[in-house]
Amino acid sequence: MIPRLGVNIDHVATLRQLRGTPYPDLLEAARLCERGGAEQITIHLREDRRHIQDADLFALRKSVRVPLNLEISLEPKMLKIARKAAPDWICLVPEKRQEVTTEGGLDVVKQRRRIKNAIKLFAKSKTKISLFVEPEAAIMKLCKELGAHAVELHTGRYCLAAQKGFGARSTKVEAAELNRIELAGHAAAQLGLHVNAGHGLDYQNIKPILAIRRENEHPLIEEYNIGHVIVCRAAIVGIEQATREMANLVRSEL
Ligand code: PXP
């Protein structure tokens, strides 16, 4: 099994929304990501519409050739849009208005009823559901019971530590978080859930995660959804090349 790269193009839309310009063209960006080796395009239609707009979702749905993964909150009005768009995957995420980006995973224990009902909405469709959760082994069983097809492990805390965001504690937090990701991933895989990962990943901190193996030596993580660092790199080398560099890493035998 070779891991897949999903490229999150939210921040291409952020650049456009910053000035209200008709550019950059999201469809062109998605096409170039595909050319660079993206095996999925990911977007987050936020309730505050700070980057991706409804029209982007429907235009991308029509033009993207690889699977489309839509990150969306549990709000009924957002789920209604998601049903209409019928993406290949939906990743259910928590959302707070003031956050800079998605800050934590879903609280699957507190929100179990809402999550179960949201998943039921898509039961008769082709859309599959992933839950964006903290890398906590103990909650994987509940994710499975609620009907999820996949979990996306929130790698934000690990990544922050790897980028030395916890000061002197960083090395310790990094090791602990990596271990948490490994345990949660194994627990999810044993339950038959697909195991994805995302948030804060960059061209360096992804390497120790890529190296985690299953008992059969296959990589533990099946899919990575990566956005910010690829769009940042794109400012230097273009989005096709930025995607290719990450796709090569994801597919490499470390
Ligand atoms: N996965 C999920 C569920 C997210 O919410 C985000 C951020 O929108 C990402 C992946 C991508 O994170 P980043 O932009 O830090 O690579």
Side-chain angles (χ1 to χ4, degrees):
M1 195 264 295
I2 300 167
R4 293 182 304 276
L5 172 64
V7 178
N8 180 318
I9 57 171
D10 290 350
H11 296 307
V12 177
T14 300
L15 288 173
R16 182 192 61 197
Q17 297 308 112
L18 210 55
R19 290 269 180 106
T21 48
Y23 52 79
D25 182 337
L26 236 57
L27 303 189
E28 189 180 7
R31 253 192 317 276
L32 291 169
C33 290
E34 288 175 341
R35 280 217 326 231
E39 289 175 274
Q40 173 163 275
I41 297 295
T42 296
I43 50 172
H44 184 176
L45 184 69
R46 290 184 61 97
E47 288 165 38
D48 60 16
R49 305 299 197 275
R50 70 169 73 149
H51 36 56
I52 298 292
Q53 307 297 303
D54 299 45
D56 297 325
L57 163 63
F58 290 97
L60 285 163
R61 169 73 289 197
K62 270 197 200 146
S63 80
V64 165
R65 293 197 202 123
V66 293
L68 182 69
N69 175 32
L70 174 65
E71 298 171 1
I72 205 136
S73 77
L74 288 162
E75 274 307 305
K77 60 180 190 301
M78 302 310 292
L79 293 171
K80 198 170 163 194
I81 299 169
R83 282 184 74 184
K84 201 168 154 207
D88 301 278
W89 279 89
I90 281 180
C91 181
L92 293 172
V93 297
E95 223 174 88
K96 289 186 224 129
R97 279 224 172 211
Q98 300 307 325
E99 66 192 356
V100 176
T101 177
T102 319
E103 280 168 1
L106 279 171
D107 188 339
V108 282
V109 176
K110 263 200 199 145
Q111 305 262 37
R112 64 210 295 167
R113 192 168 297 275
R114 285 182 87 196
I115 295 170
K116 193 170 182 177
N117 289 338
I119 294 176
K120 264 195 202 148
L121 283 177
F122 296 91
K124 290 200 178 117
S125 72
K126 287 190 186 144
T127 303
K128 294 209 178 96
I129 312 287
S130 156
L131 302 179
F132 187 49
V133 290
E134 289 300 313
E136 203 50 68
I139 59 174
M140 296 304 141
K141 191 154 173 273
L142 181 54
C143 294
K144 176 77 181 175
E145 285 166 4
L146 293 175
H149 301 95
V151 284
E152 180 165 322
L153 303 178
H154 194 318
T155 51
R157 200 173 144 80
Y158 158 74
C159 291
L160 193 58
Q163 292 167 350
K164 304 292 171 222
F166 291 90
R169 290 194 302 125
S170 295
T171 309
K172 224 172 165 182
V173 178
E174 183 183 345
E177 285 301 312
L178 196 59
N179 189 243
R180 233 159 59 97
I181 291 166
E182 181 160 4
L183 293 177
H186 284 306
Q190 269 161 20
L191 290 160
L193 288 160
H194 292 291
V195 190
N196 307 336
H199 212 288
L201 292 165
D202 64 32
Y203 295 88
Q204 289 305 320
N205 65 24
I206 193 172
K207 291 177 186 170
I209 302 189
L210 283 166
I212 306 174
R213 302 278 142 175
R214 300 180 181 211
E215 273 175 20
N216 63 8
E217 292 302 314
H218 285 185
L220 177 62
I221 306 294
E222 295 167 62
E223 175 186 298
Y224 293 89
N225 286 299
I226 307 178
H228 186 257
V229 79
I230 293 179
V231 176
C232 288
R233 180 81 182 134
I236 313 290
V237 298
I239 202 161
E240 182 178 339
Q241 177 61 16
T243 300
R244 185 169 295 117
E245 290 173 9
M246 189 60 87
N248 286 345
L249 263 180
V250 164
R251 289 175 195 153
S252 64
E253 284 288 331
L254 287 170

